Amino acid sequence: MANSPPDAGGLNALPVSEKTPYSAKEADHDSNSVDVSKEKDFDTSVEADNADDEEEVTYLKGEPVVDSGRDVSRFVVDIRDDGDNALTFRSMVLGTVLAGLGAALCQIYLFKPVQMSVSTVFLLLVIYTFGNAWATFLPRKSWVEGTRFHGLGPVFHFINPGDFTLKEHVVSSLMASTAAGGSTAVLNFAVQRLYYNTHVEALTAVLATFSTGCFGYGLVGILRPLTVYPSEMVYWGNLPTVAVFQTLHFDSGANVKRVKLFWAAFTGMFVYEVIPAYIFPLLNGFNIFCLASQHASKKTIDVFTNLFGGADSNEGLGLFALSFDWQYIGSGSMSLPLIQQ
């Protein structure tokens, strides 16, 4: 009895709705009407969100005030992509050469009283100049097309693929600016040699420095979902560099004048640096209080030196001191607006 089939009559006795079922056409019509209404609701919500975003934007003198990651993506960073190659022979050579120069300069000044580093804006402008010169003067594939040297076309294209693009510029600048900051791993070997009389072999030091760099980059790659991907993770100190990149490559009409201004300022700084470095070293650190205390007692001189001195390492706090030497002033704030400096 337990395994007997259910009574068919009992099933037939159940009440059945007399409503006629939908036809396929009616069902499609109803489903489409539902989807359209949902789509309209979605479009309305999107338009409302966009309207809210427009209302949230604050304008000052006709320009939007950027105070969030969404504002950065809307008003500062251009999402244009021309589809150019980023890793080329030209970008690798320029980035490697300037990375070596920047790293060597940083390591030389690392153990000096004056800490000096190469500015990212300076590097990207130098790379932009050399990259355009490379694209202009080195032979291209088009130069040998239709001639008996057409077989050299792929070689020329590998060396000089054409105009110097934004992606090549960014890759070269990343390589150069990253290396220009030096590596703190070398401090370990310096401490061992200076204080513990331990001499580390050159190969060991090079491999250890390389391994620490690889570990750091790997750790940064793992943390990208936390430090890069969120829209609010904006590194505001890099925005001037991004603006310079976009201006140089998206507004090429006025670039000649800007580059000339850069090289004129660079030449003037280079010539002027001879004065505080060799002719008039007093310009390195100028303080009226230290000058006024030259004939005071030794105790007074020591107090004034501890408070107002600072041109040399471990000398003083450097209160109210002025410097007319570019090595002390640096160029870290030269790319920022004057009101922000």
Side-chain angles (χ1 to χ4, degrees), residues 3 92 126 139 151 173 314 334:
N3 295 330
M92 293 292 103
V126 172
S173 300
N314 300 325
M334 295 299 292

Side-chain angles (χ1 to χ4, degrees), residues 246-313:
Q246 295 180 167
T247 301
L248 290 176
H249 291 273
F250 297 160
D251 187 16
S252 58
N255 286 342
V256 176
K257 183 178 180 181
R258 296 181 180 125
V259 174
K260 285 183 178 179
L261 177 61
F262 163 73
W263 283 110
F266 173 80
T267 304
M269 295 177 189
F270 179 80
V271 174
Y272 171 78
E273 185 60 29
V274 178
I275 299 176
Y278 301 102
I279 300 176
F280 196 13
L282 182 62
L283 296 177
N284 292 336
F286 183 85
N287 196 309
I288 189 64
F289 295 97
C290 293
L291 294 177
S293 63
Q294 291 183 358
H295 301 288
S297 62
K298 186 178 184 304
K299 184 177 180 180
T300 303
I301 293 177
D302 292 340
V303 173
F304 272 54
T305 301
N306 292 333
L307 291 176
F308 306 108
D312 295 332
S313 60

Side-chain angles (χ1 to χ4, degrees), residues 222-230 233 235:
I222 294 174
L223 295 178
R224 280 184 299 174
L226 298 177
T227 60
V228 178
Y229 295 154
M233 296 302 294
Y235 298 90

